[in-house]
Amino acid sequence: MLILLHSADDVQTVKDDVLPLFAETPTKPVEFDLENLPEVEDGSTIACFLSDADLRLLIPEASSRRWRLGLLPHPEMRSARSGLGIASKLADAATDILETTDEIDVDILRCNERVVLNSLVIGDPIATAPALGSGDGIGQRVRRLWRTLAFLTHTPPMRCTIESAKGQSVETAVLGVVVVEHGRSAVLSRRLIEDSALADGMLHCLIYAPRSILMMLWFVLHSALSPRNTSAK
């Protein structure tokens, strides 16, 4: 029996659009309640049609029970879908859940005890926006460029000190800091991190501190107008 977790607000959507995708597999829909999670064996597969907010609550509990979570693209699951590479179509995600036999271990990134599903942003939100596909239209790229330039005209660098658990520290002036679990979580990290995995026990802290106005403008133009590479390395 496959358990399908969903919010109380999505009962009709689950009935009409989600359950038919699991017609050949015995599936029990269960409304998500953190205080009353379903009683299933450790290691069980749980399908989830949940928002980012609900997943942040569920993931620590699922981890302690060693559940295998199969995520379905919810309209309010933007960060988890981008950060974990979930299929954008319900049918494709359901197929992945039903046909995948080997589980994929994923590190859990936390900030102030809260699960981070995609990236942690301090300062510049433009350079860290979730990457879009290489098929972005020229209109989207131009709008992205104007948003970035507008941000740079009214945002001065801020001074920060970053210290690792080993006591190593870096003090610099930055426009933004990005913390990601793996390299495909944000535009800036996608361009700089080549070898990164979902379960390597590492996080990546990227400091957005251009050394000159020319370098800053080059990065803005290149990031905003060029197609973004979506292939995994």
Side-chain angles (χ1 to χ4, degrees):
M1 174 72 70
L2 178 66
I3 299 296
L4 172 60
L5 287 181
H6 62 87
S7 72
D9 295 334
D10 293 319
V11 171
Q12 194 61 46
T13 300
V14 168
K15 180 179 179 181
D16 295 342
D17 301 331
V18 180
L19 284 178
L21 302 174
F22 298 92
E24 298 182 3
T25 300
T27 303
K28 179 181 179 181
V30 177
E31 291 186 14
F32 173 62
D33 180 356
L34 189 63
E35 303 300 326
N36 188 28
L37 293 174
E39 296 292 334
V40 296
E41 296 181 359
D42 289 357
S44 297
T45 298
I46 309 293
C48 304
F49 184 66
L50 296 170
S51 66
D52 283 334
D54 286 338
L55 284 175
R56 289 190 182 97
L57 300 175
L58 173 64
I59 286 175
E61 296 297 326
S63 176
S64 66
R65 293 167 168 79
R66 298 201 61 80
W67 285 355
R68 303 172 62 192
L69 297 183
L71 304 185
L72 296 162
H74 188 280
E76 298 177 12
M77 194 188 79
R78 185 168 181 262
S79 293
R81 181 155 54 88
S82 176
L84 299 175
I86 306 303
S88 60
K89 295 182 179 179
L90 276 172
D92 293 339
T95 299
D96 290 340
I97 293 172
L98 294 173
E99 296 184 355
T100 300
T101 56
D102 297 329
E103 62 187 42
I104 300 174
D105 292 332
V106 177
D107 294 332
I108 299 177
L109 179 63
R110 289 184 172 91
C111 176
N112 297 331
E113 303 304 321
R114 185 183 184 189
V115 173
V116 177
L117 296 174
N118 189 22
S119 60
L120 173 65
V121 179
I122 303 171
D124 175 16
I126 302 298
T128 61
L132 301 177
S134 58
D136 293 354
I138 186 63
Q140 289 176 295
R141 297 180 190 177
V142 171
R143 285 193 293 271
R144 189 162 61 240
L145 171 62
W146 281 116
R147 287 198 303 269
T148 305
L149 292 176
F151 170 83
L152 293 175
T153 59
H154 67 266
T155 304
M158 59 183 177
R159 182 168 295 280
C160 74
T161 300
I162 299 174
E163 184 174 346
S164 71
K166 296 182 178 180
Q168 298 174 324
S169 64
V170 175
E171 184 173 352
T172 184
V174 304
L175 287 176
V177 177
V178 192
V179 180
V180 297
E181 181 180 332
H182 62 90
R184 294 185 297 276
S185 292
V187 175
L188 182 57
S189 61
R190 288 167 67 91
R191 296 189 180 280
L192 300 180
I193 301 173
E194 293 187 358
D195 298 319
S196 182
L198 289 173
D200 56 8
M202 299 172 59
L203 60 81
H204 305 276
C205 181
L206 307 177
I207 303 171
Y208 186 32
R211 289 176 292 179
S212 67
I213 294 176
L214 182 61
M215 179 183 292
M216 182 169 60
L217 291 177
W218 177 89
F219 178 80
V220 167
L221 291 170
H222 188 64
S223 296
L225 297 180
S226 65
R228 302 175 184 180
N229 181 17
T230 59
S231 61
K233 296 186 180 180

